[in-house]
Amino acid sequence: MLDPSPATRQSIPALIRGACPHDCPDTCGTITEVIDGKAVAFYADPDHPITDGWVCGKVRPYLEHVYHPDRLTHPLRRVSAKGSGEWARITWEEAIAEIGDRWRRIIAEHGAEAILPYSYSGTLGLVNMGVSSGRFWNRLGASQLDRAICGAAAEYAVEATLGGRWAVPYADAAHSKVILIWGHNPATTAPHFMPHLKAAQRAGATVVVIDPKRTRTARTADWHITPRPGTDGALALGLAHVIVREGLHDEAWLAAHAAGWPELRARIMAMPPERAAEIAGLPVEDVYKLARLYATSKPGLIKIADGVQRNRMGGQTVRAILALPAITGQYGTRGGGLAYSTSGYLKWDGEGVEKWGELERQGIRPGRMVNMNRLGAALTGEATDPPIQSLYVFGANPATSAPNSALIHAGLSRDDLFTVVHELFMTDTAEMADIVLPATSNLEQADLHKAYGHTFLRYNHPAIPPLGESKSNWDVMRLLSAEMGFDEPWLRQDTDEVIAEVLAATAGHNPRLAGITLERLRREGQISLTLDEDVPFAGGRFPTPSGKVELYSARLAADGYDPLPGYTDEFDDGEPEAGRFRPEDGLSLISPAAHHFVSSSLANGPGQLRAEGEPFVEIHPDDAAARGIRHGARVYVENGRGCVTLRAVVTDGVRPGVVASPKGRWGRLSGGRNVNWTTSDALGDFAGQSTFHSNRVWLRPAGEEGRESADYADFAD
């Protein structure tokens, strides 16, 4: 057979395997078709066991993201006031030299801790997020970022209680008789679980969604329960009370596999169902019904994510929920127990990622810790020893996604703050920078991805050359290392060298990586970890100090926390502007995930924006009528922190007393502000957790044109 002609060969696309890099537990396998260096198609890998040939609506139009006309393609320097939008093009050499010069002067006057790197989940790649957030900054001696914005309280609670973040496979839902989806909307945030949930439901499993909002998942549930935000811990303890009082618990399992059961039993008895129902705003009959359903329909699976713990009592909320599978003896049973995260099966070798051992031998110690939830406070004076003089942002957009946006904007507006943002687009944060550097998309960089919803590793092959002058996070770290005169070889490695090193170092102490090499990953696509047992905690064995589920946690006690699951009424006061509203007219605002964005990632995509529609807030008809708010009208949503104008959606899809507005909107594409102008930067009960959902706001109809500007000005200081 003759070889194809050159013209024919050019029309045959190369198929490049990759991994979705965004903050989703599914970590899908993808394929990019490339012709002559241009991506012409992007779709799901049909051979990936979890992806199963389809991807969500967020990333389906990914080529619009990659080839968006607003992509940044060369470095920029601000030439006028911050936020003015006036920029001059500069070279990479000029940008890196200017950054190095400013940092050397800052270090000479204030020390390296005056420099704060801020990054999060713009990509979840090992190299371009994990290693890029560690090695260079540690060598520099910069401030450390307490990365507590997402799931810190839940992660701490699960590890203290169960010993590890292990989770049942999605497919095990087929064995469940009842599935509680608690404070979680997998139709939006873990979509590849949904076919398994629907199959279980068709096979007879009862699906219960516990959420103050009627989410996409709740719409198809058998039963939707709507507690007040932040009261889930009380509800869980009330369920436990009914289960124990009616003898539906498993005393023998608890005696063999639980530490602290007598102490917890006494605590449970202090939360009768009547009190739990009053706190949660539910009929007491629902508490009894749910308790009996869960305890008698075995196996029962509880699936949570991080939304349920983004409040003042988030850690103890998760602890109370974790107690339910223990009380009913369901940990270690197929189709029962907990589905939260698989992250605990594989933690990358700390030395391979961070290099602290080598740095300590050089006398370099970790810099002071700055909680990312307190960024605005840190930039405006909370961090004083030394004050933050430079902020470097990559893989994140805190002006949009972090709480208390007004304070963040005040900090970013400081004339003496030198801000560098490495980004694909001119985000809300980049708009306030001094230097903006163009970043690569996932199609333009190599990396290794592990999931937190399953156990497959996936190598991401770069599909196309970097657009314009864009560079990956790791490539910029290498440039900065050279500029600062650092000569450690682990700051000069290319991406594959880093991956190979970290894989080998981790495999040395984690047998789940046995036989998994960079070469195999590049060749085969995805490879599953080797697990000791396919049902987590089988036989009632837990990787805790006691070997049992620790209902009483000595670790929590040592860290100064209540060692038993509990509940207290701790909510953000969220006072309105003095004299404007009556406190009793406040509503609880939750800010769940948008269906078509990943936090603020992809939130400027034309397809995603069309699908998501105009920024809105959902309000119950009773609350709307009491405030003179009509469906479709513009309303002010405000408290003492700030104000945002949104379109009112009057619906019984939220319970009375609650309003909901999805997160992730860019202010610069939404009239200048988003819902985080109202959210609190107070910290939760465990691990410095964010408290987005402990937020009280007041709503009123928007006034005449021009009055809106005046009202907004009230919050400008």
Side-chain angles (χ1 to χ4, degrees):
M1 179 177 178
L2 295 175
D3 289 337
S5 69
T8 304
R9 285 201 303 269
Q10 290 176 1
S11 67
I12 299 175
L15 306 184
I16 310 299
R17 289 182 297 199
C20 180
H22 294 290
D23 193 355
C24 169
D26 296 353
T27 313
C28 288
T30 63
I31 291 176
T32 305
E33 294 187 4
V34 179
I35 298 177
D36 294 336
K38 182 177 176 64
V40 297
F42 177 88
Y43 50 88
D45 186 345
D47 295 326
H48 191 285
I50 304 301
T51 306
D52 195 29
W54 62 277
V55 291
C56 70
K58 300 179 181 72
V59 298
R60 203 171 298 135
Y62 203 70
L63 295 189
E64 288 185 1
H65 176 74
V66 174
Y67 294 113
H68 196 296
D70 294 340
R71 273 286 298 270
L72 297 168
T73 55
H74 49 263
L76 301 169
R77 178 195 291 124
R78 180 174 60 85
V79 295
S80 188
K82 288 194 174 186
S84 66
E86 296 183 32
W87 305 92
R89 178 174 178 171
I90 58 176
T91 66
W92 270 101
E93 291 75 14
E94 290 171 319
I96 296 298
E98 183 169 340
I99 294 168
D101 179 66
R102 291 290 296 270
W103 283 356
R104 282 186 287 270
R105 284 189 277 151
I106 288 170
I107 292 169
E109 183 176 355
H110 300 282
E113 288 179 310
I115 301 169
L116 175 65
Y118 189 106
S119 60
Y120 205 62
S121 59
T123 173
L124 294 184
L126 165 62
V127 179
N128 285 296
M129 185 48 57
V131 175
S132 293
S133 297
R135 291 186 183 184
F136 167 73
W137 305 104
N138 298 342
R139 175 63 182 86
L140 185 67
S143 285
Q144 300 284 298
L145 188 69
D146 188 2
R147 308 168 71 77
I149 200 168
C150 185
E155 293 165 8
Y156 179 91
V158 170
E159 290 178 358
T161 308
L162 306 180
R165 281 179 280 155
W166 301 352
V168 300
Y170 287 177
D172 275 10
H175 301 274
S176 304
K177 299 302 181 186
V178 62
I179 302 174
L180 308 188
I181 309 293
W182 203 323
H184 178 26
N185 180 21
T188 290
T189 60
H192 287 83
F193 175 72
M194 291 304 293
H196 300 283
L197 180 67
K198 292 176 180 178
Q201 195 173 21
R202 288 194 296 270
T206 301
V207 174
V208 182
V209 170
I210 304 170
D211 199 298
K213 170 179 161 58
R214 187 166 63 235
T215 62
R216 289 173 183 257
T217 307
R219 292 173 196 168
T220 60
D222 298 294
W223 187 17
H224 178 205
I225 300 172
T226 60
R228 294 189 180 104
T231 64
D232 304 88
L235 175 58
L237 293 172
L239 297 175
H241 184 111
V242 173
I243 291 168
V244 173
R245 193 171 71 187
E246 297 189 357
L248 302 176
H249 63 298
D250 192 330
E251 192 72 44
W253 192 96
L254 288 161
H257 303 299
W261 168 234
E263 295 91 337
L264 180 59
R265 181 173 186 145
R267 174 70 61 86
I268 286 169
M269 291 299 102
M271 184 61 75
E274 292 76 15
R275 181 177 175 226
E278 182 181 6
I279 292 170
L282 297 171
V284 69
E285 295 81 7
D286 285 357
V287 180
Y288 280 99
K289 178 182 174 182
L290 181 59
R292 292 163 181 161
L293 173 67
Y294 174 70
T296 60
S297 305
K298 295 183 179 179
L301 180 66
I302 298 178
K303 183 165 173 52
I304 64 170
D306 290 322
V308 75
Q309 48 90 72
R310 291 186 187 133
N311 58 68
R312 291 288 187 91
M313 290 298 296
Q316 287 289 26
T317 292
V318 172
R319 286 266 288 154
I321 293 171
L322 296 179
L324 294 172
I327 291 167
T328 54
Q330 299 205 66
Y331 284 116
T333 62
R334 191 177 297 279
L338 176 75
Y340 170 55
S341 170
T342 61
S343 292
Y345 288 122
L346 175 61
K347 296 182 180 180
W348 297 120
D349 179 77
E351 180 62 13
V353 172
E354 304 281 351
K355 296 299 181 182
W356 276 122
E358 292 195 34
L359 292 171
E360 288 177 3
R361 287 191 287 274
Q362 298 180 45
I364 299 173
R365 299 286 188 270
R368 53 93 183 268
M369 190 69 73
V370 176
N371 189 301
M372 66 191 311
N373 297 308
R374 300 286 297 171
L375 178 63
L379 294 178
T380 55
E382 183 173 84
T384 58
D385 189 20
I388 296 171
Q389 296 294 302
S390 181
L391 179 71
Y392 185 101
V393 179
F394 64 104
N397 182 13
T400 293
S401 297
N404 201 350
S405 290
L407 204 56
I408 292 172
H409 278 261
L412 292 173
S413 298
R414 282 172 40 200
D415 287 334
D416 65 335
L417 179 72
F418 177 59
T419 301
V420 182
V421 175
H422 185 206
E423 252 294 354
L424 282 81
F425 300 99
M426 190 61 71
T427 62
D428 294 344
T429 309
E431 195 174 45
M432 301 297 291
D434 297 281
I435 299 284
V436 176
L437 305 174
T440 47
S441 74
N442 201 54
L443 297 195
E444 300 151 57
Q445 62 193 29
D447 218 327
L448 178 60
H449 294 262
K450 76 182 184 80
Y452 60 94
H454 57 81
T455 57
F456 288 91
L457 294 180
R458 176 93 171 185
Y459 182 83
N460 185 76
H461 294 265
I464 59 175
L467 267 64
E469 299 175 15
S470 60
K471 296 183 184 296
S472 71
N473 293 338
W474 181 240
D475 283 343
V476 178
M477 296 305 150
R478 296 196 297 170
L479 289 175
L480 292 170
S481 298
E483 172 65 25
M484 300 305 291
F486 302 153
D487 57 6
E488 287 81 1
W490 39 267
L491 289 170
R492 306 296 177 89
Q493 294 170 311
D494 67 27
T495 298
D496 278 359
E497 288 172 330
V498 175
I499 293 172
E501 179 190 354
V502 176
L503 272 174
T506 308
H509 55 78
N510 189 335
R512 299 186 183 103
L513 274 178
I516 299 178
T517 64
L518 173 61
E519 292 73 22
R520 279 192 63 199
L521 286 162
R522 286 176 57 89
R523 183 175 65 251
E524 298 177 26
Q526 68 277 341
I527 303 175
S528 179
L529 301 176
T530 301
L531 303 184
D532 300 330
E533 49 202 21
D534 58 356
V535 177
F537 315 115
R541 298 183 298 273
F542 297 84
T544 58
S546 66
K548 301 179 179 183
V549 57
E550 299 201 343
L551 303 175
Y552 179 100
S553 171
R555 175 182 172 184
L556 265 69
D559 288 347
Y561 301 126
D562 185 344
L564 290 170
Y567 174 82
T568 59
D569 291 311
E570 290 195 21
F571 296 99
D572 178 27
D573 51 9
E575 290 296 332
E577 188 184 355
R580 177 166 284 182
F581 297 111
R582 298 184 305 169
E584 60 268 27
D585 291 335
L587 300 167
S588 293
L589 171 64
I590 58 173
S591 44
H595 190 68
H596 297 92
F597 311 150
V598 185
S599 291
S600 74
S601 295
L602 309 174
N604 67 326
Q608 290 91 336
L609 285 168
R610 284 193 299 270
E612 202 66 25
E614 182 183 355
F616 63 90
V617 60
E618 294 177 291
I619 182 171
H620 191 273
D622 294 347
D623 294 324
R627 291 159 179 80
I629 293 171
R630 295 176 292 102
H631 180 76
R634 286 162 58 81
V635 295
Y636 296 126
V637 180
E638 61 189 299
N639 57 24
R641 285 179 289 270
C643 175
V644 61
T645 304
L646 301 168
R647 179 175 61 86
V649 173
V650 179
T651 173
D652 63 0
V654 291
R655 62 166 290 145
V658 174
V659 290
S661 183
K663 64 181 179 179
R665 294 280 187 176
W666 292 14
R668 66 192 305 263
L669 300 179
S670 308
R673 300 185 180 201
N674 71 6
V675 70
N676 276 334
W677 283 73
T678 70
T679 53
S680 174
D681 57 3
L683 304 182
D685 55 349
F686 291 174
Q689 174 64 46
S690 63
T691 58
F692 287 100
H693 299 322
S694 291
N695 186 19
R696 199 155 181 79
V697 297
W698 284 258
L699 269 67
R700 61 190 171 98
E704 301 291 331
E705 288 299 324
R707 174 158 176 75
E708 177 182 345
S709 298
D711 287 338
Y712 269 27
D714 294 341
F715 299 96
D717 294 332

